[in-house]
Every structure is written in structure tokens, then in C-alpha cells.
């Protein structure tokens, strides 16, 4: 479905960039307009926002060593998750020593 320059496929391809605040102002406005007009995409975006908030709020697993965490974060970044979504101390380039 097309709404204000974005069809649903385009909106879903750009959703993570939108949620991470990485769209330029014009694209951000188009995405906001699409989400305001499209119940399907806005529902998906709401779910992803809640998911991201839950992941960010989740406590660290007691006993998990930091190397495992760094490997998981590095894998996520390699899979396309932008570094900007991570706190600075969790970037793969960060070293504890």
C-alpha cells in the first residue's frame, strides 16, 4: 500500500534506520506520514519500538563473561545493526583493558 511516497515494503526496509534516527529529515517525515496513515506498518513499528526498549532495559546476565557479550554485539553489528544503537561501552571496538 502506498502512503505519501512510501509503500509498505519501502517502509519496512527503512524501519530500523527510522527507529535509530538515521533517516535524513525528508525521509523521516515521509516515514512518519506513512506510519500515521498505515495501520499495518504502524503496528509493526510499535512492536519493534517495544522490542528495542525491552532489549535495552534487560539486565546483564549474571555470570556471562564480557567476551561473549562482545562477540554477540560484534555479530549483530556485522549483520547490519548500527553501532549507534549500542551504548559506547558496548561497541565492538571498545576494549575493557
Amino acid at each position: 500500500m502506498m502512503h505519501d511516497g512510501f509503500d509498505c515494503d519501502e517502509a519496512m526496509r527503512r524501519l530500523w534506520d527510522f527507529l535509530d534516527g538515521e533517516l535524513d529529515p525528508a525521509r523521516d517525515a515521509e516515514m512518519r506520514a506513512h506510519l500515521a496513515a498505515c495501520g499495518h506498518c504502524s503496528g509493526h513499528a510499535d512492536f519493534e519500538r517495544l522490542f528495542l526498549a525491552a532489549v535495552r532495559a534487560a539486565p546483564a546476565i549474571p555470570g556471562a563473561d564480557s567476551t561473549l557479550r562482545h562477540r554477540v554485539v560484534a555479530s549483530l553489528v556485522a549483520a547490519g545493526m548500527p553501532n549507534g544503537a549500542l551504548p559506547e561501552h558496548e561497541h565492538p571496538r571498545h576494549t575493557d583493558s
Side-chain angles (χ1 to χ4, degrees):
M1 187 177 289
M2 180 73 97
H3 298 284
D4 296 318
F6 267 46
D7 65 16
C8 293
D9 289 337
E10 179 74 10
M12 290 301 97
R13 278 193 300 278
R14 296 182 182 270
L15 180 60
W16 289 102
D17 292 338
F18 171 73
L19 294 174
D20 291 335
E22 295 180 355
L23 295 180
D24 64 60
R27 284 292 187 185
D28 186 82
E30 289 175 338
M31 177 66 96
R32 289 179 190 282
H34 180 86
L35 294 176
C38 181
H40 172 75
C41 290
S42 65
H44 191 73
D46 290 343
F47 173 84
E48 297 299 344
R49 277 189 197 101
L50 290 172
F51 174 77
L52 286 173
V55 169
R56 288 182 180 131
I61 299 169
D65 87 9
S66 65
T67 6
L68 171 62
R69 183 169 181 82
H70 286 286
R71 285 192 340 248
V72 169
V73 169
S75 295
L76 291 171
V77 170
M81 184 175 135
N83 278 347
L86 301 171
E88 181 62 30
H89 69 279
E90 293 181 14
H91 286 195
R93 69 179 178 272
H94 179 80
T95 57
D96 290 325
S97 35

